[in-house]
Every structure is written in structure tokens, then in C-alpha cells.
Amino acid sequence: MGQQLYSLCQVETKKLLWVMGMLFGVIIVFQYFELPYGSALFSLFSAGKVSGVGNSGFPNGNSPSKSNTIGNITFLNGSNSTNAHAIHERSDNIGKSEGMDRNQKNDFLSDRNGSLNNFLGLDGNNNANKDPSSENLVELNGNSTVANVNNWGNGPAPEEAKEPNQSFYQKNDTTDGNFPVGKVGKGTHASTLGHIGDADTGFASPSPALPPGPPVTSTVVDTNIRTPVVDSNTSLLEKNGTTTSEINKNSGLLQGSPSPSDDNSSANRVPMVNKGLETTSAVISISEMNDLLLLNHASSQSITPPQSSAVDRELLHAKSLIENAPIIKNDPNLYAPLYRNISMFKRSYELMEKTLKVYIYREGEKPIFHKPPLKGIYASEGWFMKLLEANKKIITKNPRKAHLFYLPFSSRMLETTLYVPDSHNHQNLIQHLKNYLDMISMKYPFWNRTGGADHFLVACHDWAPAETREYMAKCIRALCNADVKEGFVLGKDVSLPETLVLSPQNLLRNLGGKRPSQRSILAFFAGNMHGYLRPILLKHWENKDPDMKIFSQMPKAKGNKNYIQHMKSSKYCICAKGYEVNSPRVVEAIFYECVPVFISDNFVPPFFEALNWESFAVFVLEKDIPNLKSILLSIPEKRYLELQMRVKKVQQHFLWHAKPVKYDIFHMILHSIWYNRLYQISS
């Protein structure tokens, strides 16, 4: 009996062990597929976890790329696409050509520049001898901090001490948002470096800091690295809680088939905010601006009239035709990689020529109205007004047939006529514009019909955004000072090119530059020390390297020949912000066939609705100034030649002519206004 009981116990024990083993195996398999740690055993032992943001653990390996398809475009979350670096500029070596310093201290401009100077040790005697690059952290608007970047070849990569950076595409690893990243080396994680994919996509920039939440990522440094980049698998659309169905209806030039030869263009991305900008990020990257534009165009923001008029129906019909534009593979006048969507751009331009009618209010006293400057750095607003008023094909005298209404004032003449020097008070300028709006709204029904949404203004002075923000917020504002963090609304407002006109009688004088093989200077900048950024640029590069021709003021020469020859002889022309984000150097670089390098965070480049700037320009974040030469040298020669060739092809869009020609700067400004109006109305 005892022997039988013993044998039975042995059999039952074996069965029990077998059942337990099977159960354990099922648990392991379940954990492997269901838990996010990358290893089932890591779920049992906490030592194997990698600390992430908040309370979650995230893997330390490369995650596969994901994509969402919207319309005809694939939006990537975790691919090898690239962003573009951004950094700013303003008044330059020729900034005194108007006989007036652009930096009249005022309540619109000085506060943030002064505070940034204090942070960077550039104001007064505090930290007078301190090198900005020697500090680990630079405080930004009181909410976050950014690590300064050390030279790639001489030390470790920067440590990110700000809120987690987020971008939208590339493979990613995860690290805690406050965890310092180690030295950069082969196979090492770095917070600002990442592998660059197709050279045709342009050059990437780190995304702005975000509130705690989704995991921040860092990428593995590749030996073929070209420019810094930070990546994440979280899109702005996801962060904003927006679904793909919300933007599936309208997507502007960013939707439809991408440019044929630019598969990795910035069209393949997903957007953010709906109106204005509500984010705590210090910097809005170019890729995020692309997403903002797409999302804003996908949602109507203007007041819908109680009854649809004939002109409203014409606009809606034009919008429909543009969204269903026939595919264009080759065009003798347009080079596809320069555009977000060449087919939609060409169709939109053709419909503008055929359809658009503009009414110009006759009211308004000179010189503020109807008499703009045609010379100097504010000449864009003047030449546009002059050429539009003379264009009998576009202008209509019957306001009921107008698709758009032009407010014909000059922001430059408003300032020179009404501003009291050193008063630091612009209220009288704002009131003058308000009085004008009150007058036309009482005299005509058109302003009140849409709340001003079908009205537009063209203003190049630095103060124009602040002067028009309160009473002209619904208008389409074409502004040189296109700062996305200072009220510029992507998808509604238009970035106006700032053009320096030295000779109104010869608008194309000195056009062009040397062949690429004859451009002996790597990078060139010269300009007045306006704002906080330029002193930093000079501190790092003035007289430091023979390849980097970085100056404050250059010796004066007749016709500014010394400055012009340097631009004609340089591969890259630095467009560094001054008091504000914009600069005439952007157009100057294109004029002299030099690849523009933007150093101006949050600046929206001109004609952003139509052009793919990453295909012919370089963007560098302000904090990456110490690495400027490394970034430029990391661009392969083949890529530089491609950029320079494209600069020559895009040049036609930035040239003024006494009599406008097809696709010139006058028509491009008008097209951006027309196009944004189409996406401000709803059916």
C-alpha cells in the first residue's frame, strides 16, 4: 500500500511540474507580446528596465518606423526623413541705407532682446568676459533651459537639460527627459545628433521642448552624420490630440502627390495647432511649421458670410480645382523639387491669373496711404503697392466683384510720419489704423461681412505685427517680420520677402554670382550688431577661421561692392537675425546665387505655402552657432552643388521687375495671399 502511494505521488508530482511549466511558458509568451519592455524577463526584474519619462519604462533599441496615410501622402512617424535647422536675422551691413536705425527702442522689440542679452552675458558688465558657449545651460523665457552645443570634434555632445525634445520621424531610442546624455561617438547615444537619410530632404533641426508626457528620444550616431537632429516617434498631430480624419478634407499644397523627384520632401509630415500657436516650446522647427501649415489649411478659421456670394462660390470652385489638379511631371519654367506640390502650385497660379480680382480702397491720405517707399530695406511693401495699383487686369473698381480687398498703407511711412522719437509709444500709430478701419467699415459693408478675413495688408516694417495684431487680426497679413511665436498665423498670414532696393531704376543690377568652383569662401556674414544673436556669432567666428568670413561692418565701398563681391564668392551666406527674425540677406543670397543659411529660430521663410525651403537652403538653430563650420562642412559637395543649382532656379521668384513678369516676386506675394484666402473659407 505504501509503495503504491509513493508511486502515485511521483506520477502526480511530474504532472504538476509539467502543468506548471506549461503555465510559465504561456505567461512568458504573453508578456513577450504584450509588455513594452522588449524582453519578457525584464518585466520580472526591475533592473532590466530603462527609465523613461514619468513612470513608464521604454526600450533602448531602435523602434521600427510607422506611417499614417492621409489622402495621397504618407505621414511618417519614425522614418529616415530629415528636418531642417533654423536660426534668425534682421538689419545688415546696409541697414543704414534708409538714414534711420531700425532699432528705435520700443515696447514691441526691446524687452525680449534685453532679457536674452542678460541671460547670455552680453549686456552691461555682468559676465562681461563670459563666453556663452562655456556655460552648460542657457535659460529660455523662464520655462525651460537649453544646453549649449560644444564643437563636435573637440568634446562631448550637448546635454539636454530642457523639456523633452520631440520630432516626428526617424528611428529612436529613449532616455529620460532630464537624464544627461553621454559623449558622442560611434554607437553612442546623443541628444542632438542623428543619422541623416536621403540627401534630397534638406537638413534637420531639433524640435522644441514639450511638457512632460511622451518619451523623449535620442538617436544613435552614424559615422556618415551630416547635421544635428533630435527625433521622436510622436507627431505634433498626436501631441495635439488630432485625428487623421480631421485633416483628410483639406490639406493645401502639402496634400496630393508630392514633387516627383523629391520623395522625402517636407510634405510627408503631420501637423499641429489650429489658430495661432499655443505651445511652451522655445523653438518651432521647420518641420513643425510644415505641420502647422497643413493643419491650419485643413480647418476654416474665418467668418462665414450668412449668404454665399458669387465670389465666394468662385473661390470654392477654384479651391476644388486646385485640390484635384492634374499631375505635372515636367514643366519648362518650374523645377519640381523647389515646391511642396508643383501640380497644385501651377494650377493655383493659373487660376489666380484667370480669376482673381482685387479692390483697392481709394480712401486714405498720403504719405501713409498710397505713397510707399521704393528704396531701401522696406521697399517690398512699396513695390507691391505700386505694381498692384497699376495692374488693370487684377484690379476691379466694383467691390462686389472682388475676391480680396487691399488696405493700401505703408508701415514704413506710418512710422516716419506719426512716431514720436524716443517716446516708446506706438498707440497713436495703432489708433490711426483703427480710425481708417472704422471709416471704411461705416462707408462699405465688405469689412463687416467677413470680419476683415477677405482683406489683406502688405507691411515690411518691424513694428507691423504689433501695430496690426489687435484690429486687423482677421486680415491676411503679409509681413516681413514673420515670427511664428509672435502672432504670425501659418496658413493665414504670409511671409513677405524683405528686399533691399538700392537703385529703383535698375532693379536687377549685379544679379548673379560666381560659379561654384570659383566660390573660395565657405561662409560669409557682415552686418551691424543688432539684437542678441549677432554678437554671439561674431564671438565664435570673427577672425577665428580663414574659411569663415564673419564681420561686423565691412570697409565702405561705392555701391556696396565689397559686400556684394563677398556674397558672389561664398558658398554659404549666413542670414542671422538682428532685432527681429527677418533679414534682407535671404533675398540677397538668392540674388547672388549663394546658398542661404538661416540662423533665426521661429522665422517663417517667404512663400512658405508653396516653396520647399529645405530643398535649397540650410537651417541652423541659434544654439548651434559654435558648430556652424562643422555643420556646413558635413554637407557633401554633391549636396552643395544641388543646393546651389536650386538656388539659381528659385531665383525667378525673388526678383522685382518694373513691369511684372510671370512667377516673379510680385506675383508670388499675390499668389500666397490668394492661396491662403482659399483655405480660410469653407463650403
Side-chain angles (χ1 to χ4, degrees), residues 333-335 338-339 345 349 497 499 587 590 606-607 610-611 616 647-657 662-669:
N333 299 312
L334 302 173
Y335 183 59
L338 299 176
Y339 308 94
F345 169 72
Y349 189 96
T499 56
V587 176
I590 296 171
F607 311 140
L611 297 181
F616 59 91
V647 166
K648 293 177 68 174
K649 288 185 177 295
V650 83
Q651 187 184 71
Q652 65 171 327
H653 298 318
F654 294 89
L655 301 179
W656 288 108
H657 300 272
K662 194 178 184 72
Y663 298 128
D664 69 355
I665 190 171
F666 167 75
H667 286 105
M668 289 295 288
I669 295 169

Side-chain angles (χ1 to χ4, degrees), residues 82-103:
T82 57
N83 304 1
H85 282 276
I87 301 191
H88 307 197
E89 129 82 80
R90 182 118 203 73
S91 312
D92 54 348
N93 192 42
I94 37 68
K96 293 185 178 179
S97 62
E98 297 256 350
M100 190 173 223
D101 192 341
R102 293 171 67 161
N103 181 33

Side-chain angles (χ1 to χ4, degrees), residues 426-661:
H426 301 74
Q427 196 57 43
N428 61 322
L429 283 69
I430 297 171
Q431 186 63 42
H432 190 82
L433 294 178
K434 181 182 182 300
N435 293 341
Y436 182 78
L437 293 180
D438 290 342
M439 182 263 294
I440 63 170
S441 63
M442 291 179 65
K443 187 173 182 179
Y444 303 98
F446 309 109
W447 175 273
N448 294 329
R449 178 176 177 269
T450 62
D454 54 0
H455 288 56
F456 72 94
L457 60 94
V458 178
C460 200
H461 197 277
D462 290 358
W463 303 346
E467 292 166 351
T468 59
R469 186 178 300 137
E470 185 174 359
Y471 299 109
M472 299 181 178
K474 295 285 186 180
C475 292
I476 299 171
R477 302 181 303 162
L479 303 169
C480 287
N481 185 5
D483 189 337
V484 76
K485 294 301 288 287
E486 295 295 330
F488 184 93
V489 181
L490 281 158
K492 178 183 76 70
D493 295 332
V494 170
S495 179
L496 178 67
E498 181 175 4
T499 56
L500 172 70
V501 175
L502 296 175
S503 175
Q505 293 74 33
N506 188 357
L507 295 168
L508 301 181
R509 187 172 67 181
N510 296 317
L511 179 66
K514 295 182 179 180
R515 295 194 301 270
S517 60
Q518 296 178 326
R519 292 179 178 262
S520 58
I521 302 170
L522 176 64
F524 167 67
F525 172 86
N528 294 322
M529 291 299 96
H530 295 166
Y532 67 86
L533 184 75
R534 294 183 184 181
I536 299 174
L537 178 66
L538 265 69
K539 187 175 184 67
H540 284 282
W541 295 111
E542 185 179 29
N543 300 321
K544 301 290 177 64
D545 191 304
D547 294 330
M548 306 286 287
K549 303 296 184 183
I550 308 296
F551 310 106
S552 52
Q553 298 239 356
M554 299 188 70
K556 291 185 177 180
K558 185 177 180 181
N560 213 24
K561 289 182 179 179
N562 195 13
Y563 178 87
I564 292 172
Q565 285 305 312
H566 271 76
M567 277 208 153
K568 288 174 174 285
S569 304
S570 299
K571 289 186 173 182
Y572 299 98
C573 289
I574 308 302
C575 305
K577 70 174 291 185
Y579 293 120
E580 295 298 339
V581 293
N582 51 304
S583 167
R585 285 182 190 77
V586 176
V587 176
E588 285 178 333
I590 296 171
F591 193 89
Y592 300 122
E593 299 169 1
C594 178
V595 176
V597 178
F598 289 81
I599 307 184
S600 182
D601 293 349
N602 303 318
F603 175 50
V604 181
F607 311 140
F608 195 67
E609 303 76 18
L611 297 181
N612 175 19
W613 277 86
E614 293 164 282
S615 71
F616 59 91
V618 177
F619 294 80
V620 178
L621 290 172
E622 293 175 9
K623 70 183 183 69
D624 287 338
I625 285 177
N627 292 328
L628 182 57
K629 184 177 181 181
S630 298
I631 291 170
L632 297 180
L633 288 177
S634 70
I635 301 172
E637 182 67 13
K638 180 180 178 181
R639 173 61 177 169
Y640 162 71
L641 293 174
E642 183 179 60
L643 291 169
Q644 203 270 342
M645 176 270 291
R646 291 176 176 181
V647 166
K648 293 177 68 174
K649 288 185 177 295
V650 83
Q651 187 184 71
Q652 65 171 327
H653 298 318
F654 294 89
L655 301 179
W656 288 108
H657 300 272
K659 292 183 178 180
V661 300

Side-chain angles (χ1 to χ4, degrees), residues 185-223:
K186 187 174 181 180
T188 307
H189 299 289
S191 63
T192 58
L193 298 179
H195 176 65
I196 304 298
D198 191 338
D200 199 50
T201 55
F203 297 89
S205 79
S207 301
L210 292 172
V216 65
T217 66
S218 62
T219 58
V220 177
V221 176
D222 191 279
T223 53

Side-chain angles (χ1 to χ4, degrees), residues 328-399:
I328 294 176
K329 294 184 178 180
N330 293 294
D331 186 279
N333 299 312
L334 302 173
Y335 183 59
L338 299 176
Y339 308 94
R340 296 177 178 276
N341 186 310
I342 187 174
S343 302
M344 292 180 70
F345 169 72
K346 184 172 183 179
R347 188 68 175 127
S348 176
Y349 189 96
E350 291 171 347
L351 289 169
M352 177 192 74
E353 288 184 311
K354 179 181 178 181
T355 308
L356 179 61
K357 294 297 179 184
V358 176
Y359 180 78
I360 303 177
Y361 287 105
R362 297 184 298 273
E363 290 77 10
E365 296 182 1
K366 297 179 180 181
I368 296 175
F369 294 87
H370 303 288
K371 191 178 180 181
L374 299 177
K375 184 177 180 180
I377 56 176
Y378 305 113
S380 288
E381 65 181 29
W383 277 97
F384 179 84
M385 186 187 298
K386 173 182 170 64
L387 298 177
L388 181 62
E389 290 185 330
N391 195 313
K392 295 181 180 180
K393 181 180 179 182
I394 296 174
I395 297 305
T396 178
K397 294 182 179 180
N398 183 353

Side-chain angles (χ1 to χ4, degrees), residues 38-203:
S39 172
L41 293 178
F42 283 176
S43 66
L44 303 177
F45 307 105
S46 60
K49 294 182 184 180
V50 178
S51 176
V53 178
N55 298 320
S56 301
F58 292 88
N60 222 9
N62 289 339
S63 302
S65 59
K66 300 178 182 178
S67 65
N68 295 323
T69 301
I70 302 175
N72 297 324
I73 286 188
T74 300
F75 295 88
L76 304 177
N77 294 337
S79 75
N80 286 334
S81 302
T82 57
N83 304 1
H85 282 276
I87 301 191
H88 307 197
E89 129 82 80
R90 182 118 203 73
S91 312
D92 54 348
N93 192 42
I94 37 68
K96 293 185 178 179
S97 62
E98 297 256 350
M100 190 173 223
D101 192 341
R102 293 171 67 161
N103 181 33
Q104 298 201 28
K105 297 294 182 182
N106 61 81
D107 48 350
F108 298 142
L109 309 177
S110 60
D111 289 346
R112 73 171 181 272
N113 291 336
S115 60
L116 277 168
N117 286 346
N118 290 333
F119 287 143
L120 296 170
L122 296 171
D123 234 8
N125 295 321
N126 283 341
N127 304 320
N129 299 319
K130 188 178 291 186
D131 184 342
S133 66
S134 68
E135 292 298 317
N136 247 359
L137 305 175
V138 178
E139 186 173 350
L140 293 179
N141 53 30
N143 296 323
S144 60
T145 53
V146 176
N148 274 333
V149 182
N150 296 323
N151 189 295
W152 293 354
N154 298 328
E159 296 181 355
E160 295 292 341
K162 57 182 176 181
E163 297 286 356
N165 278 344
Q166 298 286 342
S167 188
F168 329 119
Y169 33 103
Q170 271 193 347
K171 302 175 191 175
N172 58 282
D173 299 317
T174 307
T175 183
D176 187 274
N178 298 318
F179 190 81
V181 181
K183 293 184 178 181
V184 177
K186 187 174 181 180
T188 307
H189 299 289
S191 63
T192 58
L193 298 179
H195 176 65
I196 304 298
D198 191 338
D200 199 50
T201 55
F203 297 89

